[in-house]
Each structure stands twice: as C-alpha cells, then as structure tokens.
Amino acid sequence: MSSFSWLPALKTQYGLEIHPSQIWPFGDGHIHQTFLIESGEKKLILQRFNNSVFKFPDRISHNQSLLIDRINPEDLPYILPLPIPNLAGDLFTVIDGKYFRISPFVAGKCINEIENPHQAYLAAQAFAQFIKAGIHIPASEFQEAIPRFHNLELRYNQLLEALKNTKRDIIGDLKELVEFYLAQKDLVEQYLIWKEKLPLRLTHSDTKINNLIFAEDFSKVNAVIDLDTLMAGYIYYDFGDLVRTVACTEGESSQDWEKIKVDHSKYEALLKGFLEVGKGVFTEEEINSLPFGGLMMTCIMGFRFLADYLNGNIYYAIHYEEQNLHRAKNQMYLLKGLREI
Ligand code: GN1
Ligand code: MG
C-alpha cells in the first residue's frame, strides 16, 4: 500500500513511525475508511474520515472533547477509544483537505451477527451504560454531528424527494419497496408524538452490533466504538438500533429473505440488559418507548437505504449496484416481523 501520499505528513503530525507495509484495511463500516496500523510495538486505528457525510467535524471534536472532560471512566466497565490528539492537540488532522484521525486499537471481537442471547444481553448493557454514564451532562451541550440524523419525518421527506428526482424506473422489487415504505407513515406520526413526551439524553446514535468490541471469549464488552454520532437523542434510538441489528435472525446484508425474522429470545435479552442498567435512571415513559425504537430504527434505515438507491448510491459504501435496494428489502422483512410482536 505504497500509494498513501498523505502518510509522511500524517507521521509528522503525530510524531509516529508508520511504514506503508504496516497499514491494513479494517472493519465493516459503511462510512469511513478504516485501517489497522502498526507503529513500532503499538497497534492503532487510522481512519480516513468521510467529511462529505459528516460535514461538521468541529462538532464531533466538540462532542468528543466534552465527553472526555465530563465522563467518569470509572462509570464505564469498558474503554471508549476516543481519538488521540495530534501534536497540535487536535483530534483531526487535515492533509490536503482530507481528514484523518488515529485512535487506540482495542483487541477483541467485532461481529456483524450475534450468536446467542447472552451476547445480546451484554450488548444492551454496554449501550445502556453509555447513556447512564453521560446522563448528568445536559444533552443540549452536545452539537448535532449530523443535523436531524434520526428524525423520521425528515427521512420520510427525503425518501419522497429521492422518489421525485430518481432516474430509476419504479418497477418490480423497487416498486414494492417504495409502496411498502410510503405506507409506514403511521410510524412518522408516532415519532412526532414521542418527541413531545421524552427527555433528550446523550445517546450513542449508531448502536449497530459491529460498533462493539467483545472480549475474545465473549465474557464482556471491551469497547464501544464509532463515537462520531454521539449527541442528543432519545434512548429508544439506541435500544432500537440494537433491536435492528441483534434481534434479527439474519444480518443487515442478508438476502435470504424468507429467513429474516425477529429473534424473540435475543429481543428479550436486549430488554433485560438495557432495563437492568437503566433501572432508576430511565423514566417510565422512556421505558415504554423502547418497543417503538425497534420499529422506528428499522424503518429509518429502510427509508435511508431506499432513498440512497433512488439517488444513485451516493451515501453508503456498496459492493454492487443493488446493495442498497437489498438492504432496504432486508429491513422491510424485519420491520414486518417487528410489527407482529
Ligand atoms: C452507517 O458507519 P456505520 O456502518 O457504523 C450509518 C448508520 C447506519 C448504518 C447502517 C453516519 O453506520 O446510521 O445505521 O450505516 N452511519 C451514518 O448499517 O450514516
Ligand atoms: Mg461502525
């Protein structure tokens, strides 16, 4: 990988020795390019940050610095591998207009699918612990990393907009999906009702299962990662994205349509883990909102994947042309299952 023209500048900015042969692609994120690097004895994570998705890197720096200042690491039984400041003290390093950052590498297992309810329980505990540890920080002090990121009404309108402007023919599978997602309007209405009732908290806002690092033996969670979207939100966002990515018999990229169902034992384990941690902390209303989270987060991802497909795949990384269509179809099956609970 000798084509990293930015490497010399990066080494200088961090005062690190990094050889191009010690940089490897890493992880399954859809947004940033992530690499594992070795510098001497040290393993680190390097990210080429996607600043067309995250248009306000300063807000992310603000939020992460706030977290570093205000969270008590002893309130968390795992590591939050926040970016390491460069020699100028900044969390991002900008080279030729490109954004980079380096964070600690945490050893362990990062998975796209959970194997058993116990892992689901641990995952739910970990994300609930994150909310609990930050609950004393007024949510209004965090800035919107992506404006109205989990606003279901906005995402519905973006889907309508994409539909209006698309160059694709609305036929076959695409037609079925468009009809299905437009018929989810009642969830948008419920979303607006919950908005009036719930307090805003610091939430992680991207609690998909591969944003956890488990211990090799799955006895515990070693780290919660992907800390770009931490901002004000409702606790059901974080519970809901867990439901979406854990309480499902198939992963988000599966095309085994018939097999995509709700996994009830994992769903129950998620509830148990989340509520055990949140007891005495989350309000009754917040607890009542959790089932809506699964529906809402699955629906919002369906809206977003479908809109991206209609827009010509401009947001999510894809490996083949129809991938966003398939992701939206996968979420449709899960959403149908969740509606039956
Ligand atoms: C993106 O980067 P990654 O894969 O963790 C997305 C999430 C979606 C997820 C769907 C900033 O997360 O909102 O849930 O893909 N992140 C952003 O897999 O859009
Ligand atoms: Mg991720």
Side-chain angles (χ1 to χ4, degrees):
M1 297 208 173
S2 52
S3 61
F4 299 136
S5 54
W6 35 262
L7 190 56
L10 197 77
K11 282 163 44 177
T12 311
Q13 303 255 18
Y14 284 91
L16 283 171
E17 236 352 280
I18 314 165
H19 192 268
S21 67
Q22 283 167 326
I23 305 182
W24 300 272
F26 191 75
D28 287 316
H30 295 337
I31 309 291
H32 308 302
Q33 268 179 293
T34 306
F35 304 93
L36 173 65
I37 58 176
E38 274 182 37
S39 169
E41 297 290 286
K42 267 191 284 183
K43 280 188 178 171
L44 295 163
I45 293 295
L46 164 68
Q47 278 190 318
R48 161 95 195 270
F49 178 84
N50 183 332
N51 60 321
S52 66
V53 162
F54 286 99
K55 295 192 177 9
F56 308 102
D58 289 351
R59 297 185 183 181
I60 296 177
S61 293
H62 166 90
N63 292 344
Q64 295 182 339
S65 304
L66 189 60
L67 197 69
I68 294 169
D69 284 353
R70 304 281 290 278
I71 216 159
N72 179 359
E74 282 171 19
D75 289 343
L76 290 172
Y78 51 74
I79 298 168
L80 287 179
L82 287 155
I84 299 165
N86 62 17
L87 295 180
D90 299 325
L91 301 185
F92 286 108
T93 298
V94 188
I95 301 167
D96 294 336
K98 299 185 181 79
Y99 281 70
F100 296 88
R101 66 182 162 194
I102 290 181
S103 345
F105 166 79
V106 180
K109 285 216 155 114
C110 199
I111 52 172
N112 289 320
E113 278 169 59
I114 281 262
E115 286 149 15
N116 56 53
H118 182 65
Q119 293 169 359
Y121 171 75
L122 290 177
Q125 278 191 324
F127 283 117
Q129 276 152 352
F130 179 82
I131 299 174
K132 189 174 169 181
I135 212 151
H136 62 285
I137 315 171
S140 57
E141 290 188 27
F142 291 90
Q143 299 177 354
E144 281 195 303
I146 297 181
R148 299 159 77 203
F149 187 47
H150 287 324
N151 185 316
L152 195 65
E153 189 185 34
L154 170 79
R155 300 300 187 177
Y156 186 85
N157 290 335
Q158 287 177 336
L159 176 61
L160 292 179
E161 198 58 28
L163 200 53
K164 211 164 68 191
N165 299 327
T166 190
K167 297 198 171 63
R168 301 197 190 268
D169 297 326
I170 312 294
I171 49 171
D173 259 11
L174 180 55
K175 182 161 185 280
E176 187 197 339
L177 283 170
V178 165
E179 283 167 2
F180 173 80
Y181 280 111
L182 293 184
Q184 306 307 307
K185 192 86 199 272
D186 62 310
L187 293 180
V188 178
E189 277 141 29
Q190 286 180 52
Y191 170 81
L192 295 172
I193 294 170
W194 278 117
K195 220 170 159 210
E196 298 303 312
K197 293 204 271 197
L198 297 174
L200 284 166
R201 310 282 197 194
L202 164 65
T203 51
H204 179 282
S205 313
D206 188 6
T207 59
K208 61 194 267 197
I209 193 58
N210 68 14
N211 285 334
L212 288 177
I213 299 174
F214 286 92
E216 291 285 344
D217 63 358
F218 285 99
S219 59
K220 63 186 191 71
V221 167
N222 283 349
V224 168
I225 60 170
D226 223 339
L227 301 162
D228 292 323
T229 50
L230 58 92
M231 55 186 156
Y234 303 112
I235 71 163
Y236 73 74
Y237 292 167
D238 283 1
F239 182 75
D241 217 28
L242 274 168
V243 169
R244 184 180 79 81
T245 58
V246 171
C248 184
T249 48
E250 294 286 307
E252 176 188 274
S253 57
S254 169
Q255 293 173 49
D256 241 329
W257 315 123
E258 304 308 312
K259 287 202 202 149
I260 302 173
K261 303 228 155 45
V262 178
D263 185 323
H264 293 271
S265 58
K266 289 180 189 152
Y267 190 99
E268 289 308 317
L270 285 178
L271 258 184
K272 185 165 176 269
F274 211 79
L275 291 181
E276 266 179 26
V277 172
K279 208 165 148 227
V281 179
F282 303 154
T283 67
E284 200 180 325
E285 203 93 78
E286 285 183 298
I287 293 170
N288 292 339
S289 73
L290 296 182
F292 176 66
L295 292 163
M296 183 271 179
M297 291 303 288
T298 307
C299 183
I300 205 167
M301 267 356 128
F303 286 173
R304 292 176 60 196
F305 288 141
L306 187 60
D308 196 31
Y309 180 73
L310 290 166
N311 289 334
N313 304 318
I314 52 176
Y315 187 94
Y316 292 109
I318 49 162
H319 299 111
Y320 60 95
E321 182 61 26
E322 308 296 301
Q323 192 164 7
N324 277 315
L325 181 77
H326 289 161
R327 286 170 176 151
K329 187 167 172 176
N330 171 303
Q331 302 290 287
M332 173 180 79
Y333 282 95
L334 177 60
L335 185 49
K336 283 183 177 173
L338 287 168
R339 285 227 185 231
E340 282 163 20
I341 292 185

